Amino acid sequence: QVQLVESGGGLVQAGGSLRLSCAASGRTFSSYAMGWFRQAPGKEREFVGAISRIGSITYYADSVKGRFTISRDNAKNTGYLQMNSLKPEDTAVYYCAAGRVAGQGVPYDYWGQGTQVTVSS
């Protein structure tokens, strides 16, 4: 069993930066790949990116490539989503998730409750 809690969301101006954290509880955190997703009001859940179990491989949606960076620190049981050059279109609730395999279109077993990110013009 893995419990995930996101933090670090808030209000930021367009062009600014924000770092989200995903704190995990449980002895098996390092055994899981981690994904990041977001969902805006009235929109479908969108894949943002993912990172493999030891952090050697990352995946990004085209919409965030070059702006967002995913990382993890297994010693701290924490994953991160660094967001730079934020745009109003990035406004959404952001979720982290844990699963067996990193990537888009892959089922994830555990989900956090989300953290709100709002980007103003």
Side-chain angles (χ1 to χ4, degrees):
Q1 188 75 21
V2 178
Q3 295 80 44
L4 305 173
V5 180
E6 302 93 339
S7 63
L11 176 64
V12 65
Q13 292 183 345
S17 298
L18 206 61
R19 189 180 77 163
L20 306 184
S21 297
C22 178
S25 299
R27 296 181 295 176
T28 59
F29 175 72
S30 62
S31 297
Y32 292 90
M34 178 171 289
W36 287 91
F37 298 81
R38 65 187 183 186
Q39 186 167 21
K43 301 291 183 63
E44 297 290 331
R45 185 185 65 191
E46 178 186 12
F47 173 79
V48 174
I51 187 168
S52 61
R53 287 175 291 176
I54 64 172
S56 58
I57 304 173
T58 54
Y59 304 85
Y60 297 98
D62 289 341
S63 59
V64 305
K65 284 182 179 178
R67 300 189 298 120
F68 290 11
T69 302
I70 296 172
S71 62
R72 67 189 297 165
D73 187 340
N74 287 343
K76 297 181 178 179
N77 291 336
T78 303
Y80 303 96
L81 178 64
Q82 178 68 47
M83 304 183 292
N84 300 324
S85 301
L86 283 163
K87 305 174 181 179
E89 307 94 273
D90 296 318
T91 296
V93 176
Y94 283 71
Y95 300 89
C96 65
R100 297 179 62 189
V101 181
Q104 184 175 5
V106 178
Y108 287 85
D109 301 313
Y110 306 99
W111 293 81
Q113 295 183 353
T115 185
Q116 176 71 46
V117 172
T118 302
V119 184
S120 62
S121 300

